[in-house]
Amino acid sequence: MSPSESEPGLRTLKKQRTRQTIADVAIALFLDRGFEQVSVAEIAAAAEVSKPTLFRYFASKEELVLHRFADHLGEAGRVVRDRPAGVTPLDALERHHLAGLAAREPQTGLSDDPEVLAFLRLVYLTPGLSAQLRAYVEADEAALAEALDPARGILARLLAAQYIAVRQELARTTWLRLADDGQGIEEAERQAVAETVTTFALLRDGAGAHGF
């Protein structure tokens, strides 16, 4: 392979590493001192980049934290679009959430990793971050509504809003049990699974008559 062929790949890899380094440094500082107490200038200095460079990778201070949610943006919509034939949207979403709990994925709130628990505390209890997280939630709602109904009718929008709200509340409740109540991971998982099943049963009562 010639240098000209390999260069773009190396440049991409370097950018990815720089982006990850900046984010990791920022989150470490936030966890140590608090989100509001750390300036962008301090993050740039600790990551050994300039402020303009930092802002080329992250549009805002909040994005330094919330980029970790980006991989899951539109996930609910993809689950609905890719569901097997004969499976209702709610069944597909319930199976997906239960699979996340079984895998103890951080976005479900079910993790006993101290770093994950601390990161979620940072997001949930920092007003600026929790407010900014709403933008991600709204994007998820829109993607799910479109997957349920390309015309994004009122019923699809309402169900999407209900599901996303339920998903957020289930995750937050599970995290609280582990982070603040000192509950063990096994018991937290048992309760999270039971609450997921109950919640989806309630959603089906309202949505089933309309084909969802």
mmCIF file of all heavy atoms in Angstrom, residues 32-74:
data_model
loop_
_atom_site.group_PDB
_atom_site.id
_atom_site.type_symbol
_atom_site.label_atom_id
_atom_site.label_comp_id
_atom_site.label_asym_id
_atom_site.label_seq_id
_atom_site.Cartn_x
_atom_site.Cartn_y
_atom_site.Cartn_z
ATOM 1 N N ASP A 32 -14.194 14.151 39.142
ATOM 2 C CA ASP A 32 -13.363 14.504 40.288
ATOM 3 C C ASP A 32 -13.806 15.806 40.949
ATOM 4 O O ASP A 32 -13.826 15.913 42.186
ATOM 5 C CB ASP A 32 -11.905 14.628 39.823
ATOM 6 C CG ASP A 32 -10.961 14.952 40.973
ATOM 7 O OD1 ASP A 32 -11.023 14.252 42.005
ATOM 8 O OD2 ASP A 32 -10.169 15.908 40.840
ATOM 9 N N ARG A 33 -14.208 16.794 40.126
ATOM 10 C CA ARG A 33 -14.457 18.141 40.665
ATOM 11 C C ARG A 33 -15.868 18.675 40.431
ATOM 12 O O ARG A 33 -16.250 19.680 41.031
ATOM 13 C CB ARG A 33 -13.442 19.117 40.049
ATOM 14 C CG ARG A 33 -12.010 18.837 40.518
ATOM 15 C CD ARG A 33 -10.974 19.534 39.659
ATOM 16 N NE ARG A 33 -11.297 20.940 39.436
ATOM 17 C CZ ARG A 33 -10.743 21.690 38.484
ATOM 18 N NH1 ARG A 33 -9.835 21.158 37.670
ATOM 19 N NH2 ARG A 33 -11.083 22.950 38.340
ATOM 20 N N GLY A 34 -16.627 18.016 39.571
ATOM 21 C CA GLY A 34 -17.954 18.511 39.260
ATOM 22 C C GLY A 34 -17.986 19.200 37.910
ATOM 23 O O GLY A 34 -17.015 19.875 37.524
ATOM 24 N N PHE A 35 -19.083 19.046 37.207
ATOM 25 C CA PHE A 35 -19.195 19.579 35.844
ATOM 26 C C PHE A 35 -19.021 21.087 35.799
ATOM 27 O O PHE A 35 -18.298 21.625 34.951
ATOM 28 C CB PHE A 35 -20.560 19.186 35.264
ATOM 29 C CG PHE A 35 -20.774 19.624 33.843
ATOM 30 C CD1 PHE A 35 -20.191 18.929 32.804
ATOM 31 C CD2 PHE A 35 -21.558 20.732 33.559
ATOM 32 C CE1 PHE A 35 -20.384 19.329 31.480
ATOM 33 C CE2 PHE A 35 -21.760 21.143 32.251
ATOM 34 C CZ PHE A 35 -21.179 20.438 31.215
ATOM 35 N N GLU A 36 -19.690 21.791 36.685
ATOM 36 C CA GLU A 36 -19.674 23.248 36.653
ATOM 37 C C GLU A 36 -18.339 23.830 37.085
ATOM 38 O O GLU A 36 -18.024 24.982 36.770
ATOM 39 C CB GLU A 36 -20.787 23.815 37.546
ATOM 40 C CG GLU A 36 -22.182 23.324 37.203
ATOM 41 C CD GLU A 36 -22.649 23.793 35.837
ATOM 42 O OE1 GLU A 36 -21.998 24.692 35.260
ATOM 43 O OE2 GLU A 36 -23.655 23.260 35.341
ATOM 44 N N GLN A 37 -17.550 23.061 37.812
ATOM 45 C CA GLN A 37 -16.292 23.582 38.369
ATOM 46 C C GLN A 37 -15.108 23.445 37.416
ATOM 47 O O GLN A 37 -14.003 23.896 37.727
ATOM 48 C CB GLN A 37 -15.965 22.854 39.682
ATOM 49 C CG GLN A 37 -16.791 23.311 40.878
ATOM 50 C CD GLN A 37 -18.256 22.968 40.746
ATOM 51 O OE1 GLN A 37 -18.591 21.836 40.418
ATOM 52 N NE2 GLN A 37 -19.124 23.932 40.992
ATOM 53 N N VAL A 38 -15.317 22.803 36.275
ATOM 54 C CA VAL A 38 -14.219 22.574 35.327
ATOM 55 C C VAL A 38 -14.471 23.405 34.073
ATOM 56 O O VAL A 38 -15.554 23.342 33.485
ATOM 57 C CB VAL A 38 -14.103 21.082 34.954
ATOM 58 C CG1 VAL A 38 -12.968 20.875 33.950
ATOM 59 C CG2 VAL A 38 -13.874 20.236 36.197
ATOM 60 N N SER A 39 -13.478 24.178 33.670
ATOM 61 C CA SER A 39 -13.630 25.014 32.476
ATOM 62 C C SER A 39 -13.136 24.276 31.232
ATOM 63 O O SER A 39 -12.352 23.322 31.318
ATOM 64 C CB SER A 39 -12.842 26.308 32.635
ATOM 65 O OG SER A 39 -11.446 26.042 32.596
ATOM 66 N N VAL A 40 -13.588 24.752 30.087
ATOM 67 C CA VAL A 40 -13.127 24.181 28.818
ATOM 68 C C VAL A 40 -11.622 24.388 28.672
ATOM 69 O O VAL A 40 -10.911 23.513 28.169
ATOM 70 C CB VAL A 40 -13.887 24.824 27.642
ATOM 71 C CG1 VAL A 40 -13.271 24.406 26.302
ATOM 72 C CG2 VAL A 40 -15.359 24.431 27.678
ATOM 73 N N ALA A 41 -11.122 25.523 29.117
ATOM 74 C CA ALA A 41 -9.685 25.803 29.027
ATOM 75 C C ALA A 41 -8.883 24.775 29.822
ATOM 76 O O ALA A 41 -7.820 24.311 29.374
ATOM 77 C CB ALA A 41 -9.393 27.207 29.533
ATOM 78 N N GLU A 42 -9.391 24.399 31.002
ATOM 79 C CA GLU A 42 -8.702 23.397 31.822
ATOM 80 C C GLU A 42 -8.700 22.034 31.137
ATOM 81 O O GLU A 42 -7.709 21.295 31.183
ATOM 82 C CB GLU A 42 -9.369 23.288 33.185
ATOM 83 C CG GLU A 42 -9.135 24.486 34.093
ATOM 84 C CD GLU A 42 -9.916 24.369 35.385
ATOM 85 O OE1 GLU A 42 -11.167 24.422 35.354
ATOM 86 O OE2 GLU A 42 -9.267 24.214 36.438
ATOM 87 N N ILE A 43 -9.813 21.699 30.514
ATOM 88 C CA ILE A 43 -9.903 20.409 29.802
ATOM 89 C C ILE A 43 -8.906 20.387 28.654
ATOM 90 O O ILE A 43 -8.169 19.408 28.468
ATOM 91 C CB ILE A 43 -11.330 20.184 29.275
ATOM 92 C CG1 ILE A 43 -12.325 20.074 30.426
ATOM 93 C CG2 ILE A 43 -11.390 18.923 28.409
ATOM 94 C CD1 ILE A 43 -13.772 20.195 29.999
ATOM 95 N N ALA A 44 -8.872 21.459 27.871
ATOM 96 C CA ALA A 44 -7.957 21.521 26.735
ATOM 97 C C ALA A 44 -6.510 21.398 27.193
ATOM 98 O O ALA A 44 -5.712 20.662 26.591
ATOM 99 C CB ALA A 44 -8.168 22.841 25.973
ATOM 100 N N ALA A 45 -6.186 22.090 28.275
ATOM 101 C CA ALA A 45 -4.813 22.030 28.776
ATOM 102 C C ALA A 45 -4.464 20.621 29.246
ATOM 103 O O ALA A 45 -3.374 20.114 28.956
ATOM 104 C CB ALA A 45 -4.642 23.026 29.919
ATOM 105 N N ALA A 46 -5.390 19.981 29.966
ATOM 106 C CA ALA A 46 -5.125 18.636 30.474
ATOM 107 C C ALA A 46 -5.011 17.616 29.342
ATOM 108 O O ALA A 46 -4.257 16.644 29.432
ATOM 109 C CB ALA A 46 -6.230 18.223 31.446
ATOM 110 N N ALA A 47 -5.776 17.856 28.263
ATOM 111 C CA ALA A 47 -5.730 16.941 27.119
ATOM 112 C C ALA A 47 -4.619 17.303 26.132
ATOM 113 O O ALA A 47 -4.428 16.610 25.128
ATOM 114 C CB ALA A 47 -7.074 16.954 26.399
ATOM 115 N N GLU A 48 -3.931 18.410 26.423
ATOM 116 C CA GLU A 48 -2.816 18.884 25.596
ATOM 117 C C GLU A 48 -3.264 19.222 24.177
ATOM 118 O O GLU A 48 -2.610 18.858 23.185
ATOM 119 C CB GLU A 48 -1.671 17.863 25.586
ATOM 120 C CG GLU A 48 -1.092 17.610 26.971
ATOM 121 C CD GLU A 48 0.075 16.629 26.965
ATOM 122 O OE1 GLU A 48 0.214 15.885 25.972
ATOM 123 O OE2 GLU A 48 0.833 16.619 27.943
ATOM 124 N N VAL A 49 -4.398 19.920 24.097
ATOM 125 C CA VAL A 49 -4.882 20.447 22.820
ATOM 126 C C VAL A 49 -5.304 21.900 23.046
ATOM 127 O O VAL A 49 -5.467 22.340 24.185
ATOM 128 C CB VAL A 49 -6.081 19.649 22.268
ATOM 129 C CG1 VAL A 49 -5.697 18.200 22.000
ATOM 130 C CG2 VAL A 49 -7.283 19.729 23.206
ATOM 131 N N SER A 50 -5.507 22.636 21.972
ATOM 132 C CA SER A 50 -5.985 24.011 22.090
ATOM 133 C C SER A 50 -7.508 24.018 22.220
ATOM 134 O O SER A 50 -8.179 23.032 21.888
ATOM 135 C CB SER A 50 -5.581 24.813 20.857
ATOM 136 O OG SER A 50 -6.263 24.324 19.706
ATOM 137 N N LYS A 51 -8.047 25.138 22.703
ATOM 138 C CA LYS A 51 -9.506 25.249 22.786
ATOM 139 C C LYS A 51 -10.159 25.128 21.407
ATOM 140 O O LYS A 51 -11.170 24.420 21.261
ATOM 141 C CB LYS A 51 -9.905 26.563 23.459
ATOM 142 C CG LYS A 51 -9.801 26.532 24.976
ATOM 143 C CD LYS A 51 -10.215 27.859 25.592
ATOM 144 C CE LYS A 51 -11.667 28.178 25.366
ATOM 145 N NZ LYS A 51 -12.077 29.433 26.054
ATOM 146 N N PRO A 52 -9.624 25.780 20.359
ATOM 147 C CA PRO A 52 -10.228 25.606 19.029
ATOM 148 C C PRO A 52 -10.229 24.145 18.578
ATOM 149 O O PRO A 52 -11.188 23.681 17.948
ATOM 150 C CB PRO A 52 -9.350 26.469 18.124
ATOM 151 C CG PRO A 52 -8.814 27.529 19.036
ATOM 152 C CD PRO A 52 -8.583 26.824 20.343
ATOM 153 N N THR A 53 -9.154 23.414 18.909
ATOM 154 C CA THR A 53 -9.107 21.995 18.551
ATOM 155 C C THR A 53 -10.193 21.223 19.297
ATOM 156 O O THR A 53 -10.905 20.394 18.718
ATOM 157 C CB THR A 53 -7.728 21.401 18.881
ATOM 158 O OG1 THR A 53 -6.746 22.024 18.065
ATOM 159 C CG2 THR A 53 -7.710 19.893 18.622
ATOM 160 N N LEU A 54 -10.336 21.504 20.582
ATOM 161 C CA LEU A 54 -11.375 20.831 21.367
ATOM 162 C C LEU A 54 -12.744 21.049 20.742
ATOM 163 O O LEU A 54 -13.528 20.098 20.596
ATOM 164 C CB LEU A 54 -11.349 21.346 22.806
ATOM 165 C CG LEU A 54 -12.293 20.667 23.805
ATOM 166 C CD1 LEU A 54 -11.715 20.725 25.217
ATOM 167 C CD2 LEU A 54 -13.681 21.305 23.815
ATOM 168 N N PHE A 55 -13.023 22.298 20.341
ATOM 169 C CA PHE A 55 -14.345 22.600 19.790
ATOM 170 C C PHE A 55 -14.528 22.056 18.374
ATOM 171 O O PHE A 55 -15.660 21.999 17.883
ATOM 172 C CB PHE A 55 -14.617 24.102 19.838
ATOM 173 C CG PHE A 55 -15.015 24.585 21.210
ATOM 174 C CD1 PHE A 55 -14.268 25.551 21.862
ATOM 175 C CD2 PHE A 55 -16.133 24.057 21.852
ATOM 176 C CE1 PHE A 55 -14.636 25.996 23.125
ATOM 177 C CE2 PHE A 55 -16.499 24.486 23.119
ATOM 178 C CZ PHE A 55 -15.759 25.457 23.760
ATOM 179 N N ARG A 56 -13.451 21.664 17.727
ATOM 180 C CA ARG A 56 -13.611 20.977 16.443
ATOM 181 C C ARG A 56 -14.146 19.567 16.653
ATOM 182 O O ARG A 56 -14.809 19.006 15.770
ATOM 183 C CB ARG A 56 -12.273 20.929 15.688
ATOM 184 C CG ARG A 56 -11.911 22.230 14.992
ATOM 185 C CD ARG A 56 -10.913 22.010 13.868
ATOM 186 N NE ARG A 56 -9.630 21.513 14.354
ATOM 187 C CZ ARG A 56 -8.633 22.290 14.731
ATOM 188 N NH1 ARG A 56 -8.771 23.610 14.707
ATOM 189 N NH2 ARG A 56 -7.495 21.766 15.140
ATOM 190 N N TYR A 57 -13.855 18.998 17.808
ATOM 191 C CA TYR A 57 -14.311 17.640 18.100
ATOM 192 C C TYR A 57 -15.636 17.617 18.859
ATOM 193 O O TYR A 57 -16.434 16.684 18.703
ATOM 194 C CB TYR A 57 -13.248 16.899 18.915
ATOM 195 C CG TYR A 57 -12.033 16.507 18.112
ATOM 196 C CD1 TYR A 57 -10.892 17.309 18.093
ATOM 197 C CD2 TYR A 57 -12.013 15.335 17.371
ATOM 198 C CE1 TYR A 57 -9.773 16.958 17.354
ATOM 199 C CE2 TYR A 57 -10.908 14.966 16.630
ATOM 200 C CZ TYR A 57 -9.786 15.787 16.624
ATOM 201 O OH TYR A 57 -8.687 15.427 15.879
ATOM 202 N N PHE A 58 -15.856 18.611 19.689
ATOM 203 C CA PHE A 58 -17.068 18.666 20.513
ATOM 204 C C PHE A 58 -17.648 20.068 20.459
ATOM 205 O O PHE A 58 -16.962 21.036 20.767
ATOM 206 C CB PHE A 58 -16.754 18.277 21.962
ATOM 207 C CG PHE A 58 -16.259 16.866 22.113
ATOM 208 C CD1 PHE A 58 -14.891 16.606 22.159
ATOM 209 C CD2 PHE A 58 -17.147 15.811 22.196
ATOM 210 C CE1 PHE A 58 -14.425 15.304 22.285
ATOM 211 C CE2 PHE A 58 -16.691 14.504 22.329
ATOM 212 C CZ PHE A 58 -15.332 14.250 22.367
ATOM 213 N N ALA A 59 -18.913 20.158 20.101
ATOM 214 C CA ALA A 59 -19.544 21.462 19.889
ATOM 215 C C ALA A 59 -19.803 22.213 21.186
ATOM 216 O O ALA A 59 -19.954 23.436 21.176
ATOM 217 C CB ALA A 59 -20.853 21.286 19.122
ATOM 218 N N SER A 60 -19.870 21.496 22.283
ATOM 219 C CA SER A 60 -20.169 22.140 23.562
ATOM 220 C C SER A 60 -19.536 21.357 24.701
ATOM 221 O O SER A 60 -19.119 20.201 24.532
ATOM 222 C CB SER A 60 -21.687 22.217 23.783
ATOM 223 O OG SER A 60 -22.220 20.913 23.967
ATOM 224 N N LYS A 61 -19.504 21.974 25.852
ATOM 225 C CA LYS A 61 -19.000 21.306 27.061
ATOM 226 C C LYS A 61 -19.871 20.095 27.403
ATOM 227 O O LYS A 61 -19.357 19.039 27.798
ATOM 228 C CB LYS A 61 -18.990 22.311 28.207
ATOM 229 C CG LYS A 61 -18.354 21.817 29.497
ATOM 230 C CD LYS A 61 -18.348 22.943 30.522
ATOM 231 C CE LYS A 61 -17.976 22.453 31.906
ATOM 232 N NZ LYS A 61 -18.039 23.532 32.910
ATOM 233 N N GLU A 62 -21.178 20.237 27.231
ATOM 234 C CA GLU A 62 -22.097 19.129 27.529
ATOM 235 C C GLU A 62 -21.838 17.917 26.634
ATOM 236 O O GLU A 62 -21.938 16.772 27.069
ATOM 237 C CB GLU A 62 -23.554 19.594 27.367
ATOM 238 C CG GLU A 62 -24.043 20.533 28.457
ATOM 239 C CD GLU A 62 -23.548 21.958 28.262
ATOM 240 O OE1 GLU A 62 -22.996 22.262 27.173
ATOM 241 O OE2 GLU A 62 -23.695 22.780 29.193
ATOM 242 N N GLU A 63 -21.495 18.182 25.386
ATOM 243 C CA GLU A 63 -21.272 17.085 24.445
ATOM 244 C C GLU A 63 -20.071 16.233 24.841
ATOM 245 O O GLU A 63 -19.987 15.051 24.470
ATOM 246 C CB GLU A 63 -21.090 17.632 23.025
ATOM 247 C CG GLU A 63 -21.172 16.553 21.952
ATOM 248 C CD GLU A 63 -21.031 17.114 20.556
ATOM 249 O OE1 GLU A 63 -21.571 18.213 20.295
ATOM 250 O OE2 GLU A 63 -20.363 16.467 19.725
ATOM 251 N N LEU A 64 -19.144 16.794 25.585
ATOM 252 C CA LEU A 64 -18.001 16.022 26.069
ATOM 253 C C LEU A 64 -18.457 14.825 26.906
ATOM 254 O O LEU A 64 -17.773 13.803 26.965
ATOM 255 C CB LEU A 64 -17.084 16.916 26.908
ATOM 256 C CG LEU A 64 -16.220 17.914 26.148
ATOM 257 C CD1 LEU A 64 -15.779 19.040 27.069
ATOM 258 C CD2 LEU A 64 -15.014 17.203 25.545
ATOM 259 N N VAL A 65 -19.594 14.970 27.557
ATOM 260 C CA VAL A 65 -20.157 13.885 28.365
ATOM 261 C C VAL A 65 -21.179 13.085 27.570
ATOM 262 O O VAL A 65 -21.123 11.854 27.493
ATOM 263 C CB VAL A 65 -20.832 14.450 29.637
ATOM 264 C CG1 VAL A 65 -21.483 13.329 30.446
ATOM 265 C CG2 VAL A 65 -19.826 15.206 30.486
ATOM 266 N N LEU A 66 -22.109 13.796 26.944
ATOM 267 C CA LEU A 66 -23.271 13.136 26.355
ATOM 268 C C LEU A 66 -22.972 12.413 25.048
ATOM 269 O O LEU A 66 -23.822 11.666 24.558
ATOM 270 C CB LEU A 66 -24.387 14.158 26.146
ATOM 271 C CG LEU A 66 -24.915 14.803 27.435
ATOM 272 C CD1 LEU A 66 -25.988 15.829 27.113
ATOM 273 C CD2 LEU A 66 -25.460 13.750 28.386
ATOM 274 N N HIS A 67 -21.758 12.599 24.501
ATOM 275 C CA HIS A 67 -21.435 11.865 23.277
ATOM 276 C C HIS A 67 -21.508 10.357 23.500
ATOM 277 O O HIS A 67 -21.681 9.594 22.554
ATOM 278 C CB HIS A 67 -20.028 12.242 22.770
ATOM 279 C CG HIS A 67 -18.930 11.533 23.481
ATOM 280 N ND1 HIS A 67 -18.501 11.907 24.738
ATOM 281 C CD2 HIS A 67 -18.191 10.449 23.139
ATOM 282 C CE1 HIS A 67 -17.532 11.095 25.122
ATOM 283 N NE2 HIS A 67 -17.323 10.206 24.175
ATOM 284 N N ARG A 68 -21.397 9.938 24.764
ATOM 285 C CA ARG A 68 -21.470 8.504 25.055
ATOM 286 C C ARG A 68 -22.853 7.925 24.768
ATOM 287 O O ARG A 68 -23.001 6.713 24.630
ATOM 288 C CB ARG A 68 -21.097 8.245 26.523
ATOM 289 C CG ARG A 68 -19.625 8.458 26.818
ATOM 290 C CD ARG A 68 -19.261 7.956 28.197
ATOM 291 N NE ARG A 68 -17.840 8.061 28.467
ATOM 292 C CZ ARG A 68 -17.266 7.621 29.583
ATOM 293 N NH1 ARG A 68 -18.010 7.076 30.538
ATOM 294 N NH2 ARG A 68 -15.958 7.747 29.765
ATOM 295 N N PHE A 69 -23.849 8.798 24.687
ATOM 296 C CA PHE A 69 -25.193 8.336 24.360
ATOM 297 C C PHE A 69 -25.420 8.288 22.851
ATOM 298 O O PHE A 69 -26.428 7.747 22.401
ATOM 299 C CB PHE A 69 -26.240 9.267 24.994
ATOM 300 C CG PHE A 69 -26.297 9.172 26.492
ATOM 301 C CD1 PHE A 69 -25.499 9.983 27.286
ATOM 302 C CD2 PHE A 69 -27.149 8.275 27.116
ATOM 303 C CE1 PHE A 69 -25.542 9.909 28.669
ATOM 304 C CE2 PHE A 69 -27.197 8.183 28.497
ATOM 305 C CZ PHE A 69 -26.402 9.002 29.277
ATOM 306 N N ALA A 70 -24.508 8.864 22.091
ATOM 307 C CA ALA A 70 -24.723 8.992 20.650
ATOM 308 C C ALA A 70 -24.860 7.643 19.958
ATOM 309 O O ALA A 70 -25.626 7.502 18.993
ATOM 310 C CB ALA A 70 -23.584 9.793 20.023
ATOM 311 N N ASP A 71 -24.137 6.632 20.419
ATOM 312 C CA ASP A 71 -24.205 5.311 19.792
ATOM 313 C C ASP A 71 -25.600 4.716 19.870
ATOM 314 O O ASP A 71 -25.946 3.825 19.087
ATOM 315 C CB ASP A 71 -23.220 4.341 20.451
ATOM 316 C CG ASP A 71 -21.780 4.663 20.114
ATOM 317 O OD1 ASP A 71 -21.560 5.427 19.152
ATOM 318 O OD2 ASP A 71 -20.881 4.164 20.808
ATOM 319 N N HIS A 72 -26.398 5.185 20.821
ATOM 320 C CA HIS A 72 -27.730 4.618 21.015
ATOM 321 C C HIS A 72 -28.831 5.493 20.428
ATOM 322 O O HIS A 72 -30.013 5.145 20.530
ATOM 323 C CB HIS A 72 -27.984 4.396 22.510
ATOM 324 C CG HIS A 72 -27.012 3.440 23.134
ATOM 325 N ND1 HIS A 72 -27.076 2.079 22.950
ATOM 326 C CD2 HIS A 72 -25.910 3.662 23.907
ATOM 327 C CE1 HIS A 72 -26.086 1.492 23.602
ATOM 328 N NE2 HIS A 72 -25.362 2.433 24.181
ATOM 329 N N LEU A 73 -28.448 6.609 19.803
ATOM 330 C CA LEU A 73 -29.451 7.476 19.201
ATOM 331 C C LEU A 73 -30.174 6.727 18.086
ATOM 332 O O LEU A 73 -29.548 6.106 17.219
ATOM 333 C CB LEU A 73 -28.803 8.728 18.620
ATOM 334 C CG LEU A 73 -28.598 9.892 19.583
ATOM 335 C CD1 LEU A 73 -27.916 11.044 18.863
ATOM 336 C CD2 LEU A 73 -29.929 10.349 20.160
ATOM 337 N N GLY A 74 -31.499 6.769 18.101
ATOM 338 C CA GLY A 74 -32.283 6.095 17.077
ATOM 339 C C GLY A 74 -32.400 4.597 17.268
ATOM 340 O O GLY A 74 -32.945 3.898 16.412
#
